[in-house]
Amino acid sequence: MLTLTVDGKEIQAKKGTTLLKACLDNDIYIPNLCYIDGIEETAASCRLCFVEIEGEEKPVTSCTVPVKASLKVKTDTPAVRRLQKTALRLLLSVHHVDCKNCPANKKCALQDMAKFLKVGLKPGHLQHCLKEPEIDTSHPCLDYYTNRCVLCGKCIQVCLTHNGQPEITFARRGFNTVVSFFGTAKNEKDSCDECIRCVDICPVGALVLKSSP
Amino acid sequence: MNPVNNTSSDQIFSAIQEEAAKRRKANEEAPGCKIHIGMATCGIASGALETKAAFEDALSQRGIEARIHTVGCIGHCYAEPYVIIDHPESGFPPIFYPDVTAGKAKMLTKLFLEEGDPRLEHILGATEENEMIPSVMEFPRFNLEKRVVMEKCGRIDPEDIYEYIAEGGYTALVNCLRRTPAEIIEEIQNSGLRGRGGAGFSTGRKWELARQTQQKDKFVICNADEGDPGAYMDRTLLESNPHQIIEGMIICAYATGARQALVYVRAEYPLAVKIVHTAIEQAKSLGLLGKGILGTAFDLEIEIFEGSGAFVCGEETALIRSIEGYRGMPRHRPPYPVEKGLWEKPTIINNVKTLASVPPIIENGAAWYREIGTENSPGTAIFSVVGNVTHPGLVEIPMGVSLRTLIFDICGGIPNKKAFKAVQIGGPSGGCLPEKFLDTPIDFDSLTAAGAMMGSGGMVVMDEDNCLVDVSRYFLDFTQKESCGKCTFCRIGSYHLLDTLERLTKGEGRETDLDQLQQLSEDIKNGSLCGLGKTAPNPVLTSLRYFKEDYIAHAEEKRCPGLTCRALIAFYIDLDKCARGCDACVGVCPTEAIFTTSNRKKGVDQSLCVKCGECVVACPPEYDAVEKVSPPGLAPIIERPPEPLAKKIVS
């Protein structure tokens, strides 16, 4: 075990874990979307889990830092909060805020972070922009809500981990990137009916089973 | 690996060299004259194929014996298609002709090759010192350059390995095979060579890290996924002298212990792909590649991987992913590819220009290389200078030359008596610098300090008629489309930057826009995952810093100082200058927005005008009556005369 200091508090962590996991395990919350407990390689794509480490010039993503003894970490500096707030505002600027009709309501990672970071769900100065089509219904048992998705990639990662060959993938580029199904292969219905890990792991209710509202 | 202490590699190579010398001599002594034509993509795009066909036709028609020698690109884009004619019997030295169209080719065949008149009015200069014709070396565009990497470009046929060998090619490799890998890396480290892909990391250190790793399988990748708009240095090198790059790759592999190498080149460079493919085959057939290189125990295979045109795949981790067959998305570094790269193996990724710098360094020594350039950035830099300059093209200069020398002395300055406004360096990741930075020396550190970056070498020069807000919009449009979509800041942040810039150029700017641009740009820079996102806001940040007045004019006055943004300009006709009865502008207007006034002059109906600017071009220079203003409200309103009156005048 290693000892490091986070926000003035000494915490213990196992060698080889990431700073983000060490903090979360010790009840120090750091906003995050794309991190999956138990999967070694982090996507580092949501850009929310910033912290400041003594000796580093700029905030760094805690999911990419392996724990080291005597690390001195701060999770709530102005620079960290500024980046986190901007990232969240950016995500909300392309999010269809319709909480009462969303299955993720009250267990939504965006709601949690907005509350934690004191960011309104409305995008403010940023132009609100939604993508078309709003729903991809091409899969036999799953529906994908384009404008709920935060593109954290967790669904793809769990599908890859459990099924070897993922049934879902990223498609298109840049701003138009979406999660997409590989056509409608025959065995998809059976295999997906049994495994809905992607639905379970989605932090924002973007992937839902067809029968649910 | 231990150096090979036998002399057999020397012997094998001497035999190849002898063959090369023999072929060269045969070519030199062949009767008749020689016509060298630049046949890289740039030449072909300007009509070099037609020029070549015209020469062939004319030569066979007139029964003249001559050898057409296809070479690569010499870097003088303004002169394309160019030919160099070496006609010893005429008594003239070899002559450089610019802009040789098919017609000019036929004319030169008749008048020069047949009748011996070199038509001096068409020449740029002689390529050798002589007493009759001024040499091209008297022009700054030639004599202020320092060619290390591009030295052989435009002189040799890229599809003939013997021409490269006859010019001293592959001697650096033979030299290396006599040394230990550690010695070679020490030489590269001593030379101070820094990665030419833009970041400027020490090449020697990268190689040393790769050499020290314990893993057995290692890869060398030549990054030729050149994607900056307006940059074409790598393409030119691949098309003009592929063997220098291959030689650099072989040396790199030998020094780091790799046995497999890849050239990652864009599929949009078909000629480069073809030429590199030929080069690899030729090197293999001579035993310079493959199993047991030059009789030693060192094996290396080089393959070509064609990238599918995603800009982000120039980023090394995305490049690796795309070779592995996945979506080209970058991942977090570290681990760096040197520790964990292609197929999780140590991978050395170097830019084309970095690898092409290696053979000259080995050949001439680290001390020689250190003498070129500056203390912290030794060597040369290659820029593709485009935009508003008189002599655009590829320029290789020693590091430390000032921007002013490059733009005004070497590239001939700004044409059409316009004033310099800005220079954009480093492509979509770089920055725009104003006039006060013209004396900045060109090297990695000075450019970064000024807010631009070396980048891979794209340079766009802009005159006073350019709008920096529009330029930022252009680059953001590019990066926003090329973002891989993985991380939040780049995917959504660059979208909002572009959205704000688009509004500004349309005159729909808001009070908060400038602050938002600044803050969002800073956040994207600090928050993004990979180099593309981290540098994407640079065009906005630098133009906001140095050309804030442009932004303020757009946001507050709805005025475009460069008179570029269509929504913010208007055309009108100055009635004092307009000539009665002249209809030049009426004829070209695509929307019939120009009408005749009651005194037979012209007016522009602003509601119909699409601001194409055709009337400016059509108006005879002696009148020069069309004026362009911003904001559009400045254009005087000229009423269209009522229909019947107009008819009466016509009748």
Side-chain angles (χ1 to χ4, degrees):
Chain A
M1 293 297 258
L2 300 164
T3 308
L4 51 149
T5 319
V6 181
D7 296 334
K9 200 174 103 184
E10 287 202 345
I11 63 165
Q12 302 273 309
K14 237 201 289 183
K15 203 182 165 206
T17 44
T18 63
L19 182 55
L20 176 62
K21 184 172 161 52
C23 289
L24 295 176
D25 287 350
N26 282 280
D27 291 328
I28 299 167
Y29 177 63
I30 297 173
N32 70 87
L33 274 176
C34 66
Y35 163 74
I36 310 173
D37 196 2
I39 287 180
E40 195 191 328
E41 199 160 309
T42 37
S45 65
C46 70
R47 318 308 289 169
L48 281 157
C49 66
F50 285 104
V51 293
E52 266 189 69
I53 297 176
E54 201 176 270
E56 303 254 355
E57 209 179 309
K58 286 177 184 170
V60 293
T61 44
S62 56
C63 67
T64 54
V65 179
V67 283
K68 265 181 274 175
S70 74
L71 269 187
K72 286 207 173 69
V73 183
K74 282 185 185 162
T75 67
D76 63 349
T77 67
V80 164
R81 290 290 182 248
R82 175 174 163 178
L83 284 177
Q84 287 171 334
K85 283 183 183 180
T86 304
L88 183 59
R89 284 196 186 108
L90 289 173
L91 287 169
L92 287 167
S93 75
V94 295
H95 186 75
H96 184 204
V97 182
D98 183 21
C99 298
K100 65 178 194 299
N101 293 316
C102 175
N105 195 12
K106 289 180 184 157
K107 50 181 180 178
C108 168
L110 290 175
Q111 286 175 337
D112 294 346
M113 285 190 292
K115 208 168 143 192
F116 180 79
L117 294 170
K118 300 185 184 68
V119 168
L121 291 174
K122 291 273 151 63
H125 290 315
L126 298 170
Q127 192 83 26
H128 197 223
C129 182
L130 298 180
K131 283 184 258 189
E132 297 276 340
E134 205 179 336
I135 312 175
D136 178 356
T137 56
S138 64
H139 191 274
C141 52
L142 300 171
D143 278 346
Y144 170 69
Y145 285 75
T146 320
N147 294 319
R148 286 183 192 159
C149 183
V150 289
L151 292 166
C152 63
K154 277 187 194 173
C155 49
I156 297 169
Q157 192 61 48
V158 289
C159 193
L160 177 75
T161 312
H162 289 280
N163 304 322
Q165 186 75 34
E167 305 277 356
I168 41 182
T169 180
F170 287 121
R172 308 211 195 115
R173 287 206 277 177
F175 184 73
N176 297 316
T177 307
V178 286
V179 169
S180 181
F181 307 113
F182 279 114
T184 43
K186 274 182 201 149
N187 58 353
E188 259 186 13
K189 184 158 172 52
D190 299 337
S191 61
C192 289
D193 256 345
E194 284 164 21
C195 160
I196 48 161
R197 288 184 176 88
C198 56
V199 176
D200 290 341
I201 204 158
C202 180
V204 290
L207 272 175
V208 291
L209 276 174
K210 266 208 158 48
S211 52
S212 63
Chain B
M1 192 166 110
N2 291 322
V4 185
N5 288 325
N6 59 39
T7 49
S8 70
S9 59
D10 284 352
Q11 282 166 359
I12 296 170
F13 189 67
S14 324
I16 299 171
Q17 270 182 316
E18 268 168 39
E19 175 65 25
K22 204 171 87 190
R23 287 175 184 230
R24 179 188 179 137
K25 202 167 167 227
N27 281 333
E28 274 171 1
E29 288 172 357
C33 51
K34 285 161 207 76
I35 303 166
H36 309 273
I37 308 182
M39 295 283 275
T41 296
C42 42
I44 290 173
S46 321
L49 283 175
E50 289 80 3
T51 305
K52 184 172 171 244
F55 270 117
E56 281 164 351
D57 273 1
L59 290 169
S60 71
Q61 255 176 29
R62 300 183 182 278
I64 302 170
E65 202 176 349
R67 174 170 178 254
I68 294 183
H69 183 219
T70 52
V71 294
C73 172
I74 199 168
H76 293 254
C77 299
Y78 60 92
E80 296 280 7
Y82 78 91
V83 301
I84 295 171
I85 299 181
D86 183 6
H87 187 13
E89 276 170 36
S90 69
F92 288 99
I95 298 173
F96 187 118
Y97 291 92
D99 309 310
V100 183
T101 54
K104 216 185 246 183
K106 286 187 176 141
M107 179 273 286
L108 286 173
T109 312
K110 178 172 182 283
L111 297 178
F112 186 29
L113 299 183
E114 197 169 51
E115 295 165 15
D117 172 6
R119 304 308 291 181
L120 293 176
E121 68 271 31
H122 292 294
I123 72 168
L124 193 74
T127 59
E128 281 170 14
E129 291 299 331
N130 67 94
E131 312 236 300
M132 303 160 79
I133 296 174
S135 157
V136 289
M137 289 311 287
E138 289 174 26
F139 306 137
R141 183 66 169 76
F142 286 78
N143 65 26
L144 289 178
E145 281 199 46
K146 168 80 191 169
R147 295 218 162 175
V148 172
V149 173
M150 287 179 59
E151 193 234 331
K152 299 182 178 71
C153 290
R155 285 174 38 203
I156 58 171
D157 182 346
E159 296 189 81
D160 185 354
I161 189 170
Y162 284 111
E163 294 203 10
Y164 178 64
I165 294 171
E167 291 272 339
Y170 286 108
T171 47
L173 171 65
V174 177
N175 181 324
C176 281
L177 291 175
R178 279 189 229 118
R179 302 204 235 173
T180 63
E183 283 168 3
I184 297 163
I185 292 177
E186 199 188 330
E187 184 90 58
I188 298 294
Q189 264 177 333
N190 288 343
S191 76
L193 176 64
R194 293 172 71 172
R196 272 6 186 205
F201 188 76
S202 157
T203 306
R205 258 195 72 204
K206 196 186 264 188
W207 290 17
E208 180 61 25
L209 288 171
R211 191 180 74 87
Q212 283 172 353
T213 57
Q214 300 299 318
Q215 288 205 53
K216 255 188 166 176
D217 296 329
K218 299 175 195 175
F219 292 94
V220 170
I221 296 177
C222 168
N223 185 350
D225 191 50
E226 183 176 52
D228 288 14
Y232 48 91
M233 303 75 55
D234 296 350
R235 186 194 71 208
T236 302
L237 287 174
L238 291 166
E239 288 176 355
S240 308
N241 190 4
H243 286 289
Q244 192 163 329
I245 299 149
I246 291 173
E247 189 179 1
M249 288 175 77
I250 304 174
I251 294 171
C252 172
Y254 177 75
T256 55
R259 296 294 169 269
Q260 269 172 294
L262 272 170
V263 182
Y264 189 104
V265 56
R266 309 175 67 182
E268 295 96 320
Y269 284 177
L271 185 62
V273 172
K274 178 178 156 257
I275 287 178
V276 174
H277 186 81
T278 311
I280 292 172
E281 289 305 314
Q282 289 180 348
K284 264 189 194 165
S285 70
L286 293 187
L288 294 160
L289 258 183
K291 266 203 140 353
I293 290 175
L294 289 176
T296 65
F298 168 50
D299 309 331
L300 179 70
E301 293 295 335
I302 299 185
E303 283 176 58
I304 296 177
F305 187 93
E306 289 182 50
S308 317
F311 177 66
V312 71
C313 287
E315 199 280 341
E316 53 186 18
T317 58
L319 181 147
I320 287 170
R321 288 295 281 171
S322 81
I323 297 175
E324 291 171 343
Y326 296 97
R327 190 179 154 91
M329 280 178 149
R331 62 157 173 78
H332 180 79
R333 294 182 310 175
Y336 287 92
V338 143
E339 305 153 48
K340 207 171 164 190
L342 184 61
W343 314 115
E344 314 259 294
K345 307 285 184 199
T347 303
I348 307 100
I349 303 181
N350 279 138
N351 177 266
V352 172
K353 297 175 287 293
T354 316
L355 290 165
S357 302
V358 171
I361 292 173
I362 297 290
E363 221 168 299
N364 303 296
W368 165 83
Y369 195 70
R370 277 241 171 236
E371 270 172 34
I372 309 164
T374 63
E375 173 80 40
N376 289 324
S377 305
T380 57
I382 303 179
F383 283 102
S384 57
V385 187
V386 296
N388 305 121
V389 282
T390 310
H391 295 143
L394 285 189
V395 185
E396 184 171 3
I397 44 160
M399 292 273 190
V401 165
S402 72
L403 283 166
R404 190 185 299 280
T405 309
L406 175 58
I407 296 167
F408 287 90
D409 299 336
I410 301 179
C411 291
I414 317 286
N416 306 325
K417 294 181 186 153
K418 298 278 183 183
F420 172 87
K421 179 162 183 178
V423 55
Q424 212 283 347
I425 309 167
S429 321
C432 303
L433 299 182
E435 199 173 359
K436 70 172 177 184
F437 283 98
L438 276 178
D439 293 308
T440 306
I442 296 172
D443 63 63
F444 287 101
D445 309 308
S446 307
L447 288 181
T448 309
M453 69 178 238
M454 195 78 177
S456 56
M459 184 177 282
V460 186
V461 180
M462 290 172 263
D463 68 16
E464 56 191 308
D465 290 344
N466 283 273
C467 166
L468 265 296
V469 181
D470 191 54
V471 170
S472 299
R473 185 203 55 76
Y474 169 80
F475 281 113
L476 256 297
D477 183 53
F478 179 83
T479 34
Q480 192 264 331
K481 280 186 185 131
E482 293 295 340
S483 161
C484 77
K486 184 172 179 178
C487 85
T488 307
F489 282 99
C490 179
R491 179 181 73 242
I492 312 174
S494 65
Y495 173 84
H496 284 296
L497 279 187
L498 176 64
D499 178 65
T500 312
L501 291 167
E502 273 178 351
R503 275 195 286 105
L504 284 171
T505 56
K506 283 184 199 152
E508 296 161 11
R510 301 177 197 147
E511 223 171 85
T512 53
D513 277 351
L514 265 53
D515 282 344
Q516 187 183 306
L517 277 178
Q518 178 74 32
Q519 295 201 354
L520 190 54
S521 297
E522 287 169 9
D523 289 347
I524 295 171
K525 192 174 177 149
N526 293 328
S528 290
L529 170 65
C530 82
L532 188 148
K534 282 186 180 70
T535 57
N538 279 352
V540 183
L541 283 170
T542 50
S543 56
L544 263 174
R545 188 158 141 204
Y546 301 125
F547 300 93
K548 191 145 194 180
E549 63 283 1
D550 272 27
Y551 282 86
I552 293 172
H554 281 75
E556 290 173 13
E557 301 165 46
K558 314 290 176 216
R559 177 173 68 87
C560 174
L563 301 176
T564 312
C565 300
R566 279 195 188 192
L568 303 182
I569 56 167
F571 290 90
Y572 75 92
I573 290 163
D574 184 341
L575 293 176
D576 293 336
K577 290 181 179 173
C578 183
R580 223 167 245 128
C582 167
D583 274 336
C585 52
V586 179
V588 296
C589 179
T591 57
E592 297 182 12
I594 300 178
F595 56 85
T596 304
T597 62
S598 49
N599 58 355
R600 294 172 60 216
K601 293 194 173 185
K602 300 289 177 281
V604 179
D605 183 337
Q606 300 297 345
S607 65
L608 291 177
C609 177
V610 289
K611 299 161 188 180
C612 63
E614 284 297 316
C615 48
V616 182
V617 182
C619 185
E622 59 267 40
Y623 309 138
D624 191 21
V626 186
E627 302 283 345
K628 200 170 163 186
V629 286
S630 178
L634 289 183
I637 296 165
I638 302 166
E639 290 290 330
R640 193 190 274 263
E643 242 4 66
L645 180 65
K647 270 185 192 148
K648 213 190 290 171
I649 288 166
V650 171
S651 61

